[in-house]
Amino acid sequence: MRMQFWRDAVEGIYGDNPPHQPVATELWKAVKRHNLTKMWFMKIIDEREKNLDDRAYRNIQELETYAENTQSALLYLILETLGVRDIHADHAASHIGKAQGIVTCLRATPYHCTRRKVFLPMDICMLHGVSQEDFIRGKQEKNVRDVIYDIASQAHIHLEHARSFSKKVPVKAYPAFFCTVALDDYLYNMRKVDFNIFHPSLQKKSTLLPLHLYIRSWKKTY
């Protein structure tokens, strides 16, 4: 019902008849002001709806598809609000969105395990002989850490791909990509604890994030 509400809301917004709901009203204003693409909103809604069944991703590609249609789609919309319509920026946004989706899945794993749910890609777990129960029990053996290493490495690869476009991406697109600061911070901290997803330090806020964000902004890098 909630997904259908937002599907109807988007249709109403693009028909100049938004529902009387605060977020929908602001979205309508943003759509009018920046000529935002309807398709990205619908992709986000459709992908969230498909993900409501609470099952693990069958493989890393399935997780990347989910991230592309949610996180990357949101970045495409942010680029449009910045007045950026550029193929290189879109390529960077695609990879950053996938990295963000993968990192979000990793970050949420300890919480999901307390609810006896594991969403990590099953193909990587099977490759290392790790069961969902191993994660639910909070095991920290090498094969469990190897699963996390493989998944985290894929996020890192996407960030590197995104940065390979940096010389071609318009500078005014960079504010959309500063989320990479938090992604880098989490992946760095993950390496420090040898990919132990349950290490308490990974659940703490990083006090240096604002400083790192300022430096990236000043250097005009992402």
Side-chain angles (χ1 to χ4, degrees):
M1 288 176 64
R2 188 170 60 205
M3 293 302 177
Q4 189 58 47
F5 168 82
W6 283 112
R7 192 173 280 110
D8 293 342
V10 170
E11 293 291 351
I13 285 167
Y14 281 88
D16 264 347
N17 185 31
H20 297 294
Q21 198 266 2
V23 175
T25 301
E26 293 304 315
L27 277 178
W28 174 68
K29 292 177 184 176
V31 167
K32 299 291 284 184
R33 186 181 305 119
H34 302 291
N35 192 28
L36 302 180
T37 303
K38 178 183 177 182
M39 175 180 67
W40 302 130
F41 288 108
M42 300 310 287
K43 275 185 175 293
I44 292 171
I45 295 168
D46 290 342
E47 194 65 34
R48 296 283 191 193
E49 187 172 52
K50 285 192 292 184
N51 200 247
L52 288 176
D53 57 3
D54 267 7
R55 62 174 178 81
Y57 299 102
R58 286 176 293 183
N59 48 53
I60 192 72
Q61 290 77 23
E62 210 173 67
L63 171 53
E64 288 173 334
T65 297
Y66 175 76
E68 168 69 28
N69 291 331
T70 53
Q71 305 287 356
S72 299
L74 185 57
L75 288 176
Y76 299 145
L77 288 167
I78 294 172
L79 286 173
E80 290 183 351
T81 66
L82 294 170
V84 177
R85 293 175 188 266
D86 176 87
I87 189 168
H88 301 298
D90 286 346
H91 282 153
S94 175
H95 286 293
I96 290 170
K98 288 173 183 173
Q100 189 163 15
I102 292 169
V103 168
T104 299
C105 183
L106 288 172
R107 290 181 68 114
T109 294
Y111 167 73
H112 287 144
C113 287
T114 64
R115 300 171 62 235
R116 299 192 61 79
K117 294 182 182 295
V118 179
F119 298 103
L120 300 173
M122 290 188 288
D123 63 335
I124 297 178
C125 292
M126 291 171 64
L127 177 67
H128 295 286
V130 177
S131 67
Q132 290 191 347
E133 193 64 30
D134 290 332
F135 279 103
I136 290 170
R137 292 179 180 176
K139 290 189 175 181
Q140 299 170 23
E141 280 78 0
K142 184 180 183 300
N143 61 338
V144 173
R145 288 185 278 113
D146 285 343
V147 169
I148 302 303
Y149 170 80
D150 283 359
I151 298 171
S153 294
Q154 193 65 19
H156 177 74
I157 288 169
H158 282 300
L159 289 177
E160 291 302 301
H161 279 318
R163 286 170 179 140
S164 72
F165 299 103
S166 61
K167 292 183 179 179
K168 299 176 181 178
V169 171
V171 173
K172 66 177 182 177
Y174 282 24
F177 300 155
F178 287 152
C179 59
T180 57
V181 174
L183 303 182
D184 282 333
D185 182 74
Y186 182 77
L187 292 174
Y188 171 75
N189 289 332
M190 180 85 78
R191 288 194 297 273
K192 280 174 58 178
V193 298
D194 195 23
F195 299 93
N196 174 11
I197 195 76
F198 299 105
H199 198 281
S201 66
L202 296 177
Q203 304 302 317
K204 295 179 180 177
K205 290 182 180 179
S206 174
T207 55
L208 294 178
L209 272 182
L211 176 61
H212 293 157
L213 181 59
Y214 173 78
I215 292 171
R216 290 274 178 93
S217 178
W218 177 65
K219 288 185 174 180
K220 291 184 171 57
T221 60
Y222 61 83

